[in-house]
Amino acid sequence: MPLHSINFISCYDGFTLHDLVSYNGKHNEANGENNREYFTGEELPGRGLRDISWHGYRLDEPLWFDYGAQFLVYTLAGLTGDEEDVHVILNMSERTVDAPLPQIPGRKWHLALDTSRTGPDDILPRNQQSIFEGSSYLIARRTVAVFEARG
């Protein structure tokens, strides 16, 4: 019954029933940025990029409805042109995957992390990251890779 669902949410999340039905709008005023929400997929002013883009084996084609998918990629745009954009590849499958990298005008990708590498080469500080010249990255099975884009 729906009544049991509401009771479960109230117990599980610590909300009272009053809390559960009282919030009908966002309340992000405390973030100091005019109640802005992040990661909505909207284009950032002056950047020409969405704040987050979801991908699968191909750019802008996430595998939302493939319930057996073990592969997810996303790109987070820096809020300003001075901040790095971040591209995260999560390959939890048993196979190596050739994952495309988005092209961002005026920027080059730098590999920051690859969990298939042995330390200390798995996490690279900014001063040790070199420009990655390829348009895709061959990511090993059960691996997470993170790229940073800079101009």
Side-chain angles (χ1 to χ4, degrees):
M1 292 181 67
L3 175 64
H4 298 301
S5 299
I6 290 172
N7 285 339
F8 177 75
I9 291 171
S10 296
C11 291
Y12 180 77
D13 289 336
F15 289 117
T16 66
L17 184 56
H18 179 265
D19 291 336
L20 188 62
V21 299
S22 295
Y23 300 109
N24 61 358
K26 62 182 182 173
H27 298 280
N28 295 331
E29 292 85 4
N31 71 11
E33 297 186 20
N34 298 323
N35 208 20
R36 183 187 190 289
E37 288 185 4
Y38 294 95
F39 310 127
T40 61
E42 296 175 6
E43 193 171 296
L44 293 172
R47 291 290 326 271
L49 298 172
R50 290 178 286 170
D51 61 356
I52 187 167
S53 300
W54 296 97
H55 316 288
Y57 297 115
R58 285 178 269 197
L59 295 175
D60 297 312
E61 295 183 19
L63 305 170
W64 297 137
F65 300 105
D66 180 351
Y67 301 114
Q70 297 176 316
F71 187 77
L72 181 64
V73 183
Y74 59 93
T75 307
L76 298 174
L79 294 178
T80 67
D82 296 335
E83 289 185 332
E84 288 91 352
D85 304 306
V86 177
H87 188 69
V88 179
I89 307 169
L90 306 163
N91 181 15
M92 299 299 104
S93 74
E94 291 293 334
R95 63 187 183 98
T96 300
V97 176
D98 194 22
L101 299 172
Q103 300 301 311
I104 301 175
R107 298 210 165 208
K108 299 284 186 185
W109 289 112
H110 299 75
L111 182 64
L113 178 139
D114 182 330
T115 61
S116 70
R117 296 180 176 188
T118 57
D121 296 325
D122 53 344
I123 302 171
L124 299 171
R126 183 179 173 139
N127 65 348
Q128 292 179 13
Q129 298 171 11
S130 58
I131 294 174
F132 184 81
E133 297 290 348
S135 61
S136 64
Y137 186 69
L138 195 61
I139 186 166
R141 65 194 259 316
R142 298 194 177 275
T143 296
V144 174
V146 176
F147 287 84
E148 296 177 355
R150 303 190 268 285

